[in-house]
């Protein structure tokens, strides 16, 4: 029920962090994976993950360039021989700064990657999935899909948008056999969070707020990603699943 043998997946932002962990987990479950990332590191990550089992490919793409996004997606589809069973929209940007000091240029950059690119990639994948009669789209939300955060107005607003986009697309595509869901990670040990993890004031406050007593690791999201990619979740759609060590329940 949880096997992904024979499935074909595209994962954005998977050269490192949560995306890399999910790409590894899907590969280990049997899926053929394309890592779509702006970083040159994607080639090394693909080679590292794909040493054994199903193939892992790398495609370089800039999600802030709409034309290049479509070209990169098509290249990824070509590597998967025209089939896409799973799309994980993992790429994302954050900039921590007070709302009064935040530039509109930074706001636009964050929304282009965190929302607009997710919308367009989901539509591109759905066109293929509708023809197939099945598919899984997994978006990366955040606990800031529910909470306001601090010095993160653009990021939290974008992740709130992802929660609503997930529900809306689910409503449109569930009848075509496509499940659209989201994962909402909590405080994770990734480079994106190095600044607050090392902040002498914020870090203890965050530690005290996590009932599990620790920050999450990229591997903590992988079980949920495999579940949402597999037949085990065929009747689950339009939900945002927190993976946060209990933060939202506190």
């Amino acid at each position: 029920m949880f096997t992904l043998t024979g499935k074909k997946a595209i994962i954005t932002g998977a050269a490192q962090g949560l995306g890399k962990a999910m790409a590894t987990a899907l590969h280990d479950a049997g899926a053929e994976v394309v890592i779509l990332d702006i970083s040159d590191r994607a080639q090394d990550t693909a080679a590292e993950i794909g040493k054994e089992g199903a193939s892992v490919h790398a495609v370089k793409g800039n999600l802030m360039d709409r034309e290049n996004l479509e070209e990169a997606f098509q290249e990824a589809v070509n590597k998967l021989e025209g089939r896409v069973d799973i799309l994980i929209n993992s790429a994302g940007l954050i900039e921590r700064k007070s709302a009064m000091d935040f530039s509109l240029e930074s706001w636009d950059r964050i929304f282009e990657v965190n929302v607009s690119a997710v919308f367009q990639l989901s539509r591109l994948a759905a066109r293929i999935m509708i023809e197939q009669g099945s598919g899984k789209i997994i978006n990366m939300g955040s606990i800031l899909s529910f909470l306001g955060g601090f010095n993160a107005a653009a990021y939290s607003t974008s992740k709130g948008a992802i929660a609503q986009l997930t529900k809306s697309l689910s409503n449109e595509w569930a009848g075509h056999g496509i499940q659209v869901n989201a994962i909402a990670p909590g405080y994770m040990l990734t480079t994106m969070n190095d600044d607050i993890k090392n902040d002498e004031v914020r870090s203890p406050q965050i530690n005290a707020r996590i009932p599990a007593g620790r920050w999450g690791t990229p591997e903590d999201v992988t079980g949920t990603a495999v579940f949402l990619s597999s037949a085990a979740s065929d009747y689950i759609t339009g939900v945002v699943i927190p993976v946060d060590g209990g933060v939202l329940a506190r």
Side-chain angles (χ1 to χ4, degrees):
M1 183 176 289
F2 293 94
T3 183
L4 299 178
T5 300
K7 299 298 184 181
K8 297 176 183 286
I10 298 173
I11 306 176
T12 69
Q16 61 182 340
L18 302 185
K20 178 181 178 181
M22 291 187 288
T24 302
L26 265 63
H27 167 267
D28 291 348
E32 181 177 359
V33 175
V34 173
I35 294 169
L36 199 167
D37 202 293
I38 195 172
S39 172
D40 292 330
R41 192 181 308 171
Q43 291 285 353
D44 293 335
T45 300
E48 176 188 340
I49 296 172
K51 289 178 180 177
E52 299 179 5
S55 298
V56 181
H57 314 278
V59 170
K60 187 169 184 177
N62 181 1
L63 301 188
M64 284 189 285
D65 181 327
R66 296 185 180 185
E67 183 177 344
N68 183 248
L69 177 152
E70 295 202 22
E71 292 171 351
F73 179 84
Q74 189 55 55
E75 182 180 346
V77 171
N78 291 343
K79 288 183 181 294
L80 298 176
E81 300 179 324
R83 185 174 183 89
V84 181
D85 299 294
I86 302 155
L87 169 67
I88 301 183
N89 288 304
S90 181
L93 295 177
I94 189 170
E95 183 176 338
R96 292 186 178 87
K97 193 176 288 185
S98 72
M100 296 301 292
D101 295 327
F102 209 88
S103 71
L104 286 176
E105 290 77 14
S106 292
W107 176 277
D108 290 342
R109 285 177 62 252
I110 287 173
F111 266 77
E112 190 65 34
V113 173
N114 292 10
V115 183
S116 297
V118 172
F119 176 62
Q120 181 61 352
L121 286 165
S122 296
R123 292 200 300 173
L124 292 170
R127 290 185 183 122
I128 297 170
M129 293 173 176
I130 287 170
E131 290 187 7
Q132 295 170 176
S134 65
K136 306 279 189 175
I137 297 176
I138 302 167
N139 298 323
M140 295 307 291
S142 166
I143 55 171
L144 297 191
S145 296
F146 306 95
L147 305 174
F150 185 75
N151 283 344
Y155 182 80
S156 62
T157 305
S158 74
K159 291 306 181 178
I162 285 298
Q164 294 304 101
L165 178 63
T166 297
K167 298 169 192 175
S168 183
L169 297 183
S170 171
N171 290 340
E172 291 193 33
W173 298 339
H176 296 284
I178 302 169
Q179 290 81 55
V180 186
N181 294 295
I183 300 172
Y187 295 103
M188 293 284 161
L189 293 173
T190 63
T191 56
M192 181 180 284
N193 289 326
D194 281 348
D195 56 345
I196 56 172
K197 179 62 179 175
N198 297 324
D199 188 306
E200 293 181 359
V201 176
R202 292 286 317 280
S203 187
Q205 294 172 342
I206 292 169
N207 291 342
R209 187 171 182 172
I210 305 173
R214 66 173 179 87
W215 287 53
T217 68
E219 288 68 33
D220 284 320
V221 305
T222 60
T224 306
V226 171
F227 167 65
L228 292 177
S229 298
S230 73
S233 62
D234 279 354
Y235 202 59
I236 296 174
T237 191
V239 303
V240 183
I241 300 178
V243 181
D244 67 348
V247 170
L248 292 177
R250 189 170 183 119

